Amino acid sequence: MPDSLRLALAIAGKDIRAELRSRTALQSALVFAALVLVVFNFARDPTALSAADLAPSVLWVTFALAAMVALNRAFTVERENAALDGLLLAPVPREALFIGKLLANLAFVGTVELVTLPLFVLFFNVSLGHALPGLLGVTALATVGFVAVGTLFSAMAVRTRFAELMLPVLLLPFMVPPLIAAVQVTSRLLADRPLSEMWGWLRLLALYDIVFVTLCMMTFSAVVDE
Amino acid sequence: MPSHDGALLLEVSGLQRSFGRVPILRGVDLSLRSGEALAVAGPNGAGKTTLLRLIAGLMRPTAGRIRILGQSLAQRSSPIRRSIGLLSHQSLLYDDLTLLENLTFAARLYGLDRPAEVAASALEEAGLARRGADLPPRLSRGLLQRAAIARALLHRPKLLLLDEPFTALDASASERLRANLRDRLAAGLGLVVVTHHLAEVWQLASRVAVLVDGSWALDQPREGPLEAFLPHYHRLTSA
């Protein structure tokens, strides 16, 4: 196994182990996601807007806000006891450090999304049926992009005095393109529309992933190294 | 006293560092050979911790050059990073990992073979063999310091940078650390130790330097008893 991959897996494994012990990020994000769904469910007027019309937006707003809660934890854990210094001192390529943190964040956000999905079905009474594989696919595609950007910004925000406030301010504008694309694809999937109607949005998501994962990896060193 | 004729480990020339417009280091020169131990003392705010962080590569200098094992620190290459060990004011340990998990993770970062065994042996060396399953927040300040020292020494660095290493250590742990450092110095380690209490490192040091207001007020071989040096030190630092 190449050294960088071994190091990235070690870093991701460390984060997952620490999170499984404390459950800080996962529990907060899951409770938050459930609350958002409850609020949206009871706030909407069913006579004015059908659940099917509203559901894709609600789903992605829930995913995005819950991801923000999980991403906030990504580098605050490195701030305790200046643990980040320990990572930066070690002979770890910064790309491996980024990939390790990205993998751990994808595991957290992916878990939150997987738990949120059944709640979404329950609250909004949507039938996923044969849309499920497609929905899982578009969720994966959109999540990779905004979690990559969130990982970079989480590293940037943690050096500021108000890290928890800075992350949403930095990240939300960059989440808009993948969220719009994901909502568009999700609404077409739930309406059982043909794949040809989604291609453009799927290409946008794939392009976003390629561009931002590459950019974030390239700029990560400048963010974490003083 | 250890010999000073080892290979050149560290060369620092014209090192400057400012925070905003406030200069912290004002052109520091320093060299350290294998087997040499430099004790750095000075008043609060003299720039001692900043000097260590710059040498460790955790900060970029405003001006000046740092070379470790003949390579520029700016390259931040793996061999250079592997050769540095740092004990800072904080433990660098994760609160949600046990001591053994923390040190095993550190061993993995340094690419050591059998990381779990290396970590267990480092804990044993620090007298923490029975505390491996404890989380850092459950440890006393002294035990935490021992764990932090174990982490800094884990990968057997060639250049060791220690910032107040004896803080919170009891007499027996302090003596154990001194003996450990003596052995490592004899094996070729280069040591820079920052302290406010010269008595703790006087016998260990081969050189003593005093940093005042970001520049050296003194850098000389350690000679004679500490009691003879202290009046001179107080004059330098109270000026």
Side-chain angles (χ1 to χ4, degrees):
Chain A
M1 189 188 299
D3 263 7
S4 288
L5 182 58
R6 181 184 57 75
L7 288 164
L9 291 176
I11 290 162
K14 178 270 294 175
D15 275 6
I16 291 168
R17 187 188 285 262
E19 179 55 32
L20 288 177
R21 187 161 286 140
S22 74
R23 297 197 183 100
T24 318
L26 274 180
Q27 276 180 358
S28 320
L30 286 171
V31 169
F32 187 80
L35 283 174
V36 172
L37 286 174
V38 168
V39 168
F40 271 112
N41 187 46
F42 289 105
R44 80 187 163 91
D45 176 2
T47 59
L49 194 61
S50 74
D53 289 336
L54 190 63
S57 311
V58 171
L59 179 68
W60 280 99
V61 167
T62 308
F63 280 173
L65 295 179
M68 203 87 72
V69 175
L71 284 169
N72 247 329
R73 168 86 175 151
F75 276 90
T76 49
V77 73
E78 303 295 345
R79 199 167 49 180
E80 292 165 1
N81 306 324
L84 182 60
D85 284 353
L87 282 179
L88 298 179
L89 273 170
V92 178
R94 299 311 182 233
E95 295 78 14
L97 176 51
F98 175 76
I99 296 290
K101 297 302 280 187
L102 174 63
L103 290 175
N105 289 337
L106 284 173
F108 299 148
V109 175
T111 305
V112 173
E113 289 171 341
L114 284 176
V115 177
T116 307
L117 209 52
L119 293 176
F120 165 74
V121 171
L122 186 74
F123 282 122
F124 282 82
N125 197 26
V126 288
S127 165
L128 291 182
H130 54 268
L132 185 62
L135 187 57
L136 291 176
V138 74
T139 301
L141 205 55
T143 303
V144 167
F146 69 69
V147 169
V149 179
T151 302
L152 179 76
F153 285 155
S154 175
M156 198 183 284
V158 81
R159 291 188 185 273
T160 65
R161 282 177 64 201
F162 304 105
E164 288 80 5
L165 291 176
M166 281 299 288
L167 182 62
V169 171
L170 292 169
L171 181 55
L172 277 172
F174 285 86
M175 281 179 115
V176 171
L179 285 185
I180 290 173
V183 167
Q184 294 294 335
V185 174
T186 305
S187 61
R188 284 164 175 75
L189 280 169
L190 295 179
D192 204 14
R193 305 299 300 168
L195 188 64
S196 59
E197 285 187 19
M198 306 170 212
W199 263 125
W201 295 111
L202 289 172
R203 276 204 297 267
L204 175 70
L205 283 175
L207 186 67
Y208 185 95
D209 287 357
I210 292 167
V211 169
F212 278 95
V213 170
T214 310
L215 273 179
C216 292
M217 200 149 53
M218 286 166 66
T219 52
F220 189 70
S221 173
V223 168
V224 292
D225 285 316
E226 194 200 338
Chain B
M1 192 187 302
S3 66
H4 308 183
D5 51 1
L8 191 59
L9 278 180
L10 170 67
E11 269 181 288
V12 174
S13 57
L15 191 65
Q16 294 178 34
R17 171 70 202 203
S18 304
F19 290 115
R21 288 180 185 176
V22 182
I24 303 298
L25 292 179
R26 303 164 187 263
V28 168
D29 298 324
L30 168 66
S31 64
L32 190 80
R33 293 190 173 274
S34 168
E36 207 174 3
L38 171 69
V40 178
N44 296 126
K48 305 183 294 295
T49 296
T50 302
L51 176 64
L52 286 197
R53 291 181 66 81
L54 284 163
I55 295 172
L58 291 174
M59 279 182 182
R60 287 182 196 277
T62 309
R65 198 181 63 167
I66 301 171
R67 292 177 78 83
I68 292 172
L69 295 167
Q71 283 191 55
S72 165
L73 189 59
Q75 293 165 0
R76 297 177 184 230
S77 67
S78 286
I80 290 184
R81 287 181 195 281
R82 219 179 291 277
S83 65
I84 300 173
L86 172 72
L87 173 76
S88 74
H89 286 172
Q90 290 179 287
S91 67
L92 314 189
L93 301 173
Y94 294 94
D95 282 349
D96 293 319
L97 298 182
T98 65
L99 287 190
L100 187 60
E101 288 167 349
N102 262 297
L103 266 62
T104 304
F105 173 62
R108 287 206 173 99
L109 292 182
Y110 284 92
L112 305 180
D113 288 334
R114 296 189 295 277
E117 285 175 37
V118 172
S121 137
L123 285 177
E124 194 172 339
E125 193 177 81
L128 293 168
R130 287 187 299 165
R131 311 305 293 259
D134 286 352
L135 296 173
R138 290 188 196 150
L139 299 179
S140 70
R141 181 72 191 87
L143 292 179
L144 199 60
Q145 181 75 348
R146 280 152 69 172
I149 291 166
R151 193 199 183 286
L153 295 171
L154 185 77
H155 58 289
R156 305 211 156 264
K158 291 177 179 153
L159 173 63
L160 185 59
L161 311 168
L162 302 178
D163 199 348
E164 299 285 0
F166 296 96
T167 302
L169 294 186
D170 60 29
S172 117
S174 295
E175 197 38 59
R176 193 201 307 242
L177 174 59
R178 267 189 286 271
N180 189 340
L181 292 175
R182 251 181 238 118
D183 291 347
R184 286 172 190 254
L185 283 165
L189 173 80
L191 173 66
V192 180
V193 55
V194 160
T195 184
H196 282 293
H197 304 286
L198 280 166
E200 288 167 340
V201 296
W202 190 253
Q203 292 304 321
L204 199 65
S206 47
R207 258 167 64 204
V208 184
V210 180
L211 197 62
V212 178
D213 201 17
S215 33
W216 294 128
L218 175 147
D219 181 355
Q220 66 177 40
R222 190 264 296 169
E223 284 167 348
L226 174 63
E227 292 71 25
F229 175 77
L230 280 179
H232 185 39
Y233 173 70
H234 290 312
R235 269 196 305 279
L236 289 170
T237 55
S238 61

